[in-house]
Amino acid sequence: MADITIPPKDSFRLSMLIYDTRYRSLTIQVVFMFLLMAGATWLVNNTIYNLHVLGKDFSYSFLWSRAGYDINQRFIAYNSDSTHGRAMLVGLLNTLFIAFISCVAATVLGVIAGVLRLSKNWVVAKLMAIYVESFRNIPLLIWILVIFAVMTEAAPAPNAFRGANPSAHMWFFDTIAVTNRGVYFPEPLFFRSLGNIDLGIFLVSTDLLAIIAVMVLSILGYKRLQRSAETVQNATGIRPVTWWKSALILIAPIVILLVALGFHLGYPELKGFNFRGGVHARNSLIALWVALSVYTGAFIAEIVRAGIQAISRGQTEAALALGLKPGQTTNLVVLPQALRVIIPPMISEYLNITKNTSLAIAVGYMDLRATLGGITLNQTGRELEAMLLMMGIYLAISLIISSVMNFYNRSVKLKER
Amino acid sequence: MKKSVILGMAGAACLAAGMATAGTLDEVKQRGELNCGVTTGLAGFAAPDANGVWQGFDVDYCRAVAAAVLGDPTKVKFVPTTGQTRFTALASGEVDMLARNTTWTFSRDVDLKFTFVAINYYDGQGFMVPKALGVSSAKELDGATVCIQTGTTTELNLADYFKANNMKYDPVPIETNAEGQQQFLAGACDVYTTDRSGLAATRATFAKPDDYVVLPEVISKEPLGPLVRQGDDQWADVVRWVANSLVEAEDLGITSANIEELSKGTNNPEINRILGTDGGLGKMLGLDDAWAKRAIAANGNYGEIFAANLGESTPIGLARGLNALWTHGGLQYSPPFR
Ligand SMILES: N[C@@H](CCC(=O)N[C@@H](CS)C(=O)NCC(=O)O)C(=O)O
């Protein structure tokens, strides 16, 4: 039996902190922690000191003072008399809006392109490959600028729609106007509107709430109908005819509500310098949205393709051999497994989109960076405060997105028993 | 109380950082180069010419300071700044001074902690529109799309003006003058608004300047001038008196043509003092006696600088107006050199 000498307890020497592997990692961690804290302290002290030298203090009171500037795109009431805090909120909502619509569009584009890239049709597959490679490999900023430039330089000015013989025309039976200042769409209006509910910070349209409520109820009713049909089918073997009941439940209530509210469309009309009425999607919004969507869509396409290819062909063949239809094979066999591979990298893409919205600076889209981190910062001279707050907000948005997505990821994960 | 203890500790801990805020004058001398914040490009005020050499009214102020402090008007590093980045650049020490069409306002002076040392151009905000719009007054601009540079007094004045006149507008925020020009020419906005001098300068670079008009309304006071960080009075004095010397030189009839002659000595004691023939003033500033002579010799007196960059013989074609000497009914006036 080999001799194992156990070192006596009392023989601890200082040098063992470095040479003894039992202590070494602890020593390194303690030293590193100490250095890190010293570094952080130095940074904070240095900042406080230098602010002091400049005669500045650290305060967020500017958030409650009058902003004095106007913002073109606002989802909540705002004017130049509102506070900097509210300007920040307007910017934040603009950021969230562009991030949301870009995530949706990028996902749709990405899934289509990813699936089509695996298509057996050579032309389609190659076209998708070209899309992916060209958009992925050119910087996003350039796409934003190119689309913005095309929109402003190529589209007609509102003036061109004027007169007896205008050189430009509206689209789709005079409902949509594409101008070099953006696109004007018809807007939903109500003759007998229910008004708004004041939530203190912003107003919520009661009409919208009513529409959402009715739609949710319809869908619940529809589900119930399907379930009872299933029960009948299980009991008797014959599925009762439900399509007209489904249609009735899904469509009738919403139509009745819309008629009751006096729903109609407000069309954009050329008045004075610009089109008035309708929804105005500015060039900055469109350029940012299109660029973010097609650029990130290219990455998502690759993720989707990888996810589908990760499921071995054998499974598809086995499913088909068992008599599943191709649609069922995709829905029941391939997709549930592919999603497992697809979702984690998708979270990163959504986070990328959200952070990339700050490229709005290139086209003057009034996002959080442009309001809080731009005009407010500049007019109040509160660089440090504004930057820290902005970083905090972006961090919070990102953490919320990733926790929601992680939650979804857990719910679609393969449940192993 | 607690705050001051922290500040004291921080102060002790950061001696090294403290050294960095030693006098700007010494720093510039040591560096041998003046860092001067200018626009990203506005013809007549500050823009690089075909050879990449910066030219313009504000640029000449940077050069005059460099000449006075370093003895060489070419020892300037021009740092282009946008409306949004200029104050951070100055506050952080990236530039020693700003000469960038910057309006002297209460909050910039008091809250943002800067010191405006002179007003080298008395201006006001105006509007430029294409002639084809058929607009003759700013009061007719209700509903217009307006291009504005962000981070400026311009956007605040604009909001106030439209509100006061009960009109609406759609602001298109832009970062630089070049961007604004491009958007305006493409018709993405009906109106371009900024300081009237800036409008004239921008219009002068258009292919067809005559297709555009500057509306008669002047909606604000925009006293433009060079500025430095607050708290370094010596440096503020240097830049202030260089600026004053240019105006005083015009007042006294000192030009780049006769400055050599006059500096040999005259029977006007004021000229002798400013040009350093009678010594003394330079030392008080921490400079040598010929400081103002070099500053004036760099690009001439105020009138010469104005005429060469903005005056009626240039494409920009601005009249002196408010910027004439006080003796000619204008506002340009220098305190005495004594
Ligand atoms: N005087 C105003 C506006 C100054 C300003 O930004 N002017 C524009 C046009 S006159 C400019 O200099 N632009 C040059 C650039 O874009 O760098 C202020 O100080 O806020």
Side-chain angles (χ1 to χ4, degrees):
Chain A
M1 200 172 144
D3 283 332
I4 299 173
T5 46
I6 299 163
K9 282 250 182 294
D10 54 352
S11 76
F12 177 80
R13 277 160 291 117
L14 223 49
S15 60
M16 282 166 64
L17 282 180
I18 297 174
Y19 296 116
D20 192 318
T21 44
R22 282 173 301 166
Y23 303 118
R24 192 193 286 147
S25 80
L26 193 71
T27 316
I28 293 176
Q29 286 181 45
V30 167
V31 168
F32 182 76
M33 195 61 209
F34 184 77
L35 286 178
L36 198 71
M37 278 165 61
T41 318
W42 182 83
L43 268 182
V44 171
N45 274 346
N46 196 16
T47 310
I48 295 176
Y49 175 77
N50 279 314
L51 278 178
H52 175 65
V53 166
L54 286 174
K56 291 184 170 179
D57 57 351
F58 187 87
S59 152
Y60 278 105
S61 56
F62 68 93
L63 287 178
W64 283 267
S65 56
R66 180 178 182 269
Y69 61 92
D70 285 304
I71 300 177
N72 50 20
Q73 179 183 303
R74 348 167 251 273
F75 290 104
I76 57 176
Y78 171 90
N79 63 39
S80 58
D81 287 331
S82 308
T83 62
H84 280 297
R86 201 171 173 87
M88 170 185 90
L89 200 61
V90 173
L92 173 60
L93 288 176
N94 286 348
T95 292
L96 292 177
F97 176 70
I98 186 74
F100 178 73
I101 61 173
S102 303
C103 283
V104 172
T107 310
V108 172
L109 262 178
V111 169
I112 294 176
V115 171
L116 287 187
R117 203 172 167 188
L118 295 172
S119 159
K120 292 195 192 72
N121 183 326
W122 189 86
V123 178
V124 171
K126 280 292 165 278
L127 274 179
M128 289 305 131
I130 291 172
Y131 158 64
V132 168
E133 294 310 333
S134 58
F135 277 87
R136 224 167 41 143
N137 294 315
I138 293 175
L140 175 56
L141 183 59
I142 295 182
W143 282 119
I144 296 177
L145 290 174
V146 165
I147 296 170
F148 186 69
V150 169
M151 295 282 306
T152 34
E153 304 282 348
N159 241 332
F161 293 80
R162 213 182 298 273
N165 238 330
S167 58
H169 295 279
M170 290 170 73
W171 296 18
F172 294 108
F173 312 105
D174 279 0
T175 56
I176 295 179
V178 179
T179 75
N180 60 355
R181 294 168 191 180
V183 179
Y184 294 79
F185 302 97
E187 63 182 332
L189 292 175
F190 302 99
F191 286 121
R192 292 173 291 274
S193 170
L194 299 174
N196 296 319
I197 303 176
D198 193 346
L199 286 187
I201 312 179
F202 52 87
L203 302 172
V204 175
S205 153
T206 317
D207 306 317
L208 186 66
L209 290 183
I211 290 174
I212 293 175
V214 166
M215 276 164 75
V216 167
L217 285 179
S218 303
I219 290 173
L220 288 181
Y222 169 74
K223 285 216 164 130
R224 217 172 141 161
L225 181 74
Q226 292 297 316
R227 256 202 315 274
S228 68
E230 221 152 273
T231 331
V232 173
Q233 185 179 18
N234 287 345
T236 64
I238 303 164
R239 196 179 175 86
V241 181
T242 57
W243 67 264
W244 60 271
K245 282 190 205 156
S246 313
L248 205 64
I249 289 185
L250 284 179
I251 296 169
I254 192 79
V255 169
I256 292 172
L257 178 72
L258 289 179
V259 170
L261 289 174
F263 173 83
H264 63 284
L265 287 176
Y267 296 107
E269 252 180 283
L270 188 57
K271 279 203 192 116
F273 293 97
N274 280 310
F275 280 89
R276 298 215 184 153
V279 180
H280 181 192
R282 288 177 180 73
N283 275 347
S284 50
L285 171 74
I286 294 175
L288 204 56
W289 178 56
V290 173
L292 277 171
S293 310
V294 292
Y295 176 80
T296 319
F299 287 88
I300 293 181
E302 286 298 275
I303 294 173
V304 169
R305 181 170 70 116
I308 294 175
Q309 284 180 331
I311 312 306
S312 82
R313 280 258 351 124
Q315 294 210 22
T316 313
E317 280 159 11
L320 291 175
L322 282 175
L324 293 180
K325 294 180 192 148
Q328 285 175 319
T329 310
T330 313
N331 283 333
L332 299 173
V333 177
V334 179
L335 264 190
Q337 300 184 80
L339 274 183
R340 250 187 348 147
V341 185
I342 291 173
I343 288 174
M346 284 287 260
I347 303 177
S348 314
E349 292 308 325
Y350 291 159
L351 293 178
N352 276 344
I353 288 187
T354 310
K355 287 175 293 177
N356 284 341
T357 55
S358 58
L359 287 171
I361 186 175
V363 286
Y365 178 75
M366 295 298 284
D367 68 339
L368 183 66
R369 210 254 7 127
T371 57
L372 173 65
I375 302 179
T376 292
L377 178 153
N378 195 261
Q379 301 287 6
T380 61
R382 299 281 174 185
E383 289 98 352
L384 192 63
E385 290 92 333
M387 280 299 169
L388 285 177
L389 183 56
M390 195 165 66
M391 282 162 63
I393 293 175
Y394 275 115
L395 185 65
I397 302 176
S398 296
L399 289 179
I400 291 172
I401 294 178
S402 63
S403 53
V404 167
M405 288 296 291
N406 279 327
F407 177 78
Y408 178 63
N409 188 29
R410 271 197 297 280
S411 71
V412 299
K413 222 160 64 173
L414 272 199
K415 311 278 186 302
E416 290 178 26
R417 276 176 274 255
Chain B
M1 175 61 212
K2 196 170 157 232
K3 207 167 172 184
S4 66
V5 172
I6 296 179
L7 285 181
M9 275 164 35
C14 300
L15 272 179
M19 261 144 63
T21 58
T24 312
L25 178 59
D26 294 334
E27 230 179 89
V28 173
K29 280 183 181 163
Q30 220 168 45
R31 198 189 305 132
E33 192 175 48
L34 173 75
N35 293 336
C36 197
V38 291
T39 68
T40 56
L42 178 64
F45 281 93
D49 66 11
N51 303 320
V53 183
W54 283 86
Q55 304 287 355
F57 183 77
D58 280 338
V59 165
D60 284 352
Y61 270 76
C62 303
R63 293 203 192 284
V65 172
V69 175
L70 301 168
D72 185 348
T74 62
K75 291 211 167 124
V76 188
K77 187 173 134 208
F78 292 99
V79 180
T81 57
T82 67
Q84 287 211 30
T85 59
R86 58 183 152 170
F87 297 127
T88 314
L90 181 58
S92 67
E94 189 188 341
V95 296
D96 304 309
M97 61 178 283
L98 273 184
R100 193 206 168 281
N101 315 73
T102 299
T103 307
W104 185 348
T105 69
F106 181 95
S107 62
R108 288 174 180 175
D109 195 333
V110 178
D111 193 30
L112 270 64
K113 310 280 183 213
F114 296 121
T115 298
F116 285 82
V117 296
I119 297 174
N120 62 6
Y121 195 101
Y122 288 90
D123 207 346
Q125 185 174 335
F127 298 97
M128 176 161 60
V129 292
K131 257 190 196 141
L133 274 188
V135 172
S136 60
S137 155
K139 298 262 162 62
E140 298 164 27
L141 292 178
D142 193 12
T145 302
V146 185
C147 279
I148 33 162
Q149 226 169 313
T150 59
T152 59
T153 48
T154 315
E155 63 190 341
L156 305 180
N157 297 329
L158 182 72
D160 290 353
Y161 181 78
F162 273 74
K163 191 172 148 65
N165 287 292
N166 232 327
M167 301 191 297
K168 290 211 170 348
Y169 68 102
D170 194 51
V172 176
I174 48 163
E175 287 293 313
T176 65
N177 197 52
E179 203 183 304
Q181 178 168 337
Q182 182 242 326
Q183 296 265 330
F184 179 62
L185 289 178
C189 43
D190 302 300
V191 189
Y192 187 36
T193 180
T194 182
D195 304 336
R196 297 185 101 218
S197 62
L199 290 180
T202 308
R203 182 168 167 263
T205 61
F206 288 177
K208 290 186 200 150
D210 291 335
D211 289 356
Y212 302 88
V213 278
V214 176
L215 299 178
E217 281 85 357
V218 181
I219 67 163
S220 69
K221 286 188 288 189
E222 305 289 334
L224 313 178
L227 59 151
V228 297
R229 278 180 298 279
Q230 184 171 305
D232 188 346
D233 291 351
Q234 185 192 24
W235 178 243
D237 281 343
V238 169
V239 184
R240 172 179 300 118
W241 285 94
V242 167
N244 284 340
S245 73
L246 301 176
V247 174
E248 188 71 353
E250 185 180 13
D251 211 351
L252 295 170
I254 307 171
T255 65
S256 42
N258 66 14
I259 190 163
E260 279 306 326
E261 188 61 35
L262 294 177
S263 61
K264 291 194 184 112
T266 66
N267 50 16
N268 182 337
E270 182 121 40
I271 295 184
N272 295 348
R273 273 197 301 273
I274 194 172
L275 294 184
T277 335
D278 277 354
L281 294 188
K283 196 135 121 255
M284 298 177 203
L285 264 184
L287 300 171
D288 61 341
D289 279 334
W291 65 279
K293 179 189 163 195
R294 286 193 306 267
I296 301 164
N299 306 287
N301 63 34
Y302 180 83
E304 289 175 279
I305 293 177
F306 194 104
N309 296 304
L310 307 170
E312 270 150 346
S313 61
T314 67
I316 299 174
L318 288 169
R320 284 290 288 271
L322 285 178
N323 295 296
L325 282 186
W326 62 293
T327 47
H328 293 78
L331 293 171
Q332 289 297 343
Y333 179 104
S334 163
F337 278 69
R338 63 166 67 252

